[in-house]
Amino acid sequence: MPSCMVHIPPSVHRSDVDCACCDLEERAFCAGLAQTSSALRAIRYDTRMDSQATIFREGDAASNIFTLVSGAVKLSKLMVDGRRQIVGFLFPGDFFGFGHNELYGYTAETLSPTTLCRFPLVSLDTVVAGSRELERRLLRRMIAELSFAQEQMLLLGRMNAREKVSHFLLMLSRRATHRGEPASPVAVPMSRLDIADYLGLTIETVSRTLTGLKKEGLIAINGNSRVDLLDYRALGLVAGGDTLS
Amino acid sequence: MPSCMVHIPPSVHRSDVDCACCDLEERAFCAGLAQTSSALRAIRYDTRMDSQATIFREGDAASNIFTLVSGAVKLSKLMVDGRRQIVGFLFPGDFFGFGHNELYGYTAETLSPTTLCRFPLVSLDTVVAGSRELERRLLRRMIAELSFAQEQMLLLGRMNAREKVSHFLLMLSRRATHRGEPASPVAVPMSRLDIADYLGLTIETVSRTLTGLKKEGLIAINGNSRVDLLDYRALGLVAGGDTLS
DNA sequence: CGCAACCTTGAGCGTAATCAACAAGCGTGG
DNA sequence: CCACGCTTGTTGATTACGCTCAAGGTTGCG
């Protein structure tokens, strides 16, 4: 890894680092294109952020889209009285920031120190117009996102606490393997409160359910941010026979 | 309305009716394009279906996408034990049928006698490749759909029964006005069970909540499939201050 | 090492689910 | 045209799952 290790100053800066250094490989929506599309590379900004930082807020003018390069991000929506729903957790390779009616529909915050690839939307529009392949990929990603959102609706509307938590752990594991990490000691970068707001539960119920699964020997808990999945088969059963038709 | 009133045989047939007869105007994703894109027009099939008919099932090979021309459609996901989550209700102008991994992620059924515009996906791919504008519109629609799905997550995860039902009625009303129908005596083409499976409630709770709202004078109920919204302001308050930031 | 944030555990409560009976539409056929 | 039966919706009584309120433990960071 030669020029990839070059010093990257903190915070935001115009990137002159070649996309070849991006270790996301085929997982990013822009994978492979940045090499071919100098236009895309030209509008790219690297952004480094601390843990627990706000990337943008619900209702802000949607002016950028982002690819998550390293770290983790949560997307959330708020009600006036403070009730919150987390609508997504993002990991390296995921993208976010498409707004409806020019506004972001959710708040985006980092869960850990994070590296982002930022694309100004106006510039991106013109770039997309120049790349059939890029637009095609964006469409495909949106379809996958929507499909995932519908799965989540099933979880929120029809699963009980045990099913929700099991499903959540299996999802973390599946996504970890998808980006080349081990399936079992799975990293849980989000707090219990975040998990609760993602699953439509309270923090107490999440905690109780996790201890329940632990006592049954399905999982082991290491220091609150790491969970071993000891019995996938049983967890899958608890998760309640995924949407079978 | 001249040639628009031509006889259309029942069931599926290759359409030779001009899209100009489509009264969806700018609401359909293909609006305006069918006139200009003879390719799109060429692959279009009209489909008529009875009420309570299955258009496709969750897990079927995704081979078509559809635009709803008239009638209403529900999209649902099933769990092995029969629990069901409705992930969307569709009205004229809406489109559906994009599958993830070549498979439909939900079952689509009609709620009333329905007219569909069906586009074979393989053909559409090539058509889309020929129309920048078409692809752009599809992407925009997907973003709007995703945004709506995230709203629904907030509803399913964080709202109580009263808020869910009020929100639901207001949504029906808003969408009715969007397609040029009156806001208040709003058509409710779906059963109580469908509403329950959409809101993550039981049929009894939906019923009780509706009678509750009726007794408070916020709505009036006409024959189970028509509701008058008597007090938008109050309903909006009950709906619990929409996602405010 | 000390403190503060986060997590766990417990007791009691409340909302919506469940179980059950009844009413109201609605389509069919006598 | 009305009676019948079936489907759909409403209402009631009771239960249970997860929420709330409260206290006690951990963890990790300065």
Side-chain angles (χ1 to χ4, degrees), chain B residues 14-15 17 19 40-46 117-119:
Chain B
R14 187 54 164 278
S15 172
V17 178
C19 285
L40 189 62
R41 200 167 53 228
I43 64 167
R44 191 170 74 85
Y45 288 76
D46 268 327
C117 215
R118 176 169 70 85
F119 299 96

Side-chain angles (χ1 to χ4, degrees), chain B residues 32 47 56 93 126 138 179 199 202 205-206 210 221 235:
Chain B
T47 306
F56 56 76
T126 61
L138 284 176
R179 51 183 200 277
L199 299 177
T202 60
T205 299
V206 170
L210 283 172
I221 299 179
L235 274 175

Side-chain angles (χ1 to χ4, degrees), chain B residues 210-221:
Chain B
L210 283 172
T211 32
L213 294 175
K214 182 171 71 178
K215 281 177 182 165
E216 295 169 49
L218 303 194
I219 64 172
I221 299 179

Side-chain angles (χ1 to χ4, degrees), chain B residues 94-185:
Chain B
D94 294 333
F95 80 106
F96 62 104
F98 278 112
H100 188 41
N101 298 134
E102 324 279 305
L103 300 179
Y104 290 125
Y106 43 74
T107 296
E109 293 159 288
T110 59
L111 292 170
S112 54
T114 291
T115 314
L116 300 167
C117 215
R118 176 169 70 85
F119 299 96
L121 203 50
V122 281
S123 317
L124 189 70
D125 264 355
T126 61
V127 172
V128 165
S131 169
R132 156 109 306 144
E133 174 65 11
L134 187 56
E135 191 153 28
R136 174 68 53 93
R137 286 198 205 178
L138 284 176
L139 188 56
R140 247 176 228 300
R141 288 259 173 163
M142 293 303 299
I143 292 170
E145 286 289 311
L146 185 60
S147 185
F148 192 83
Q150 290 164 342
E151 280 282 329
Q152 191 70 2
M153 286 188 216
L154 179 62
L155 179 144
L156 289 169
R158 287 298 180 221
M159 291 188 187
N160 63 32
R162 268 172 72 80
E163 293 169 330
K164 285 177 174 180
V165 171
S166 303
H167 195 98
F168 174 71
L169 292 174
L170 288 171
M171 177 210 68
L172 283 185
S173 176
R174 182 164 23 83
R175 292 177 74 181
T177 61
H178 183 256
R179 51 183 200 277
E181 296 171 19
S184 178

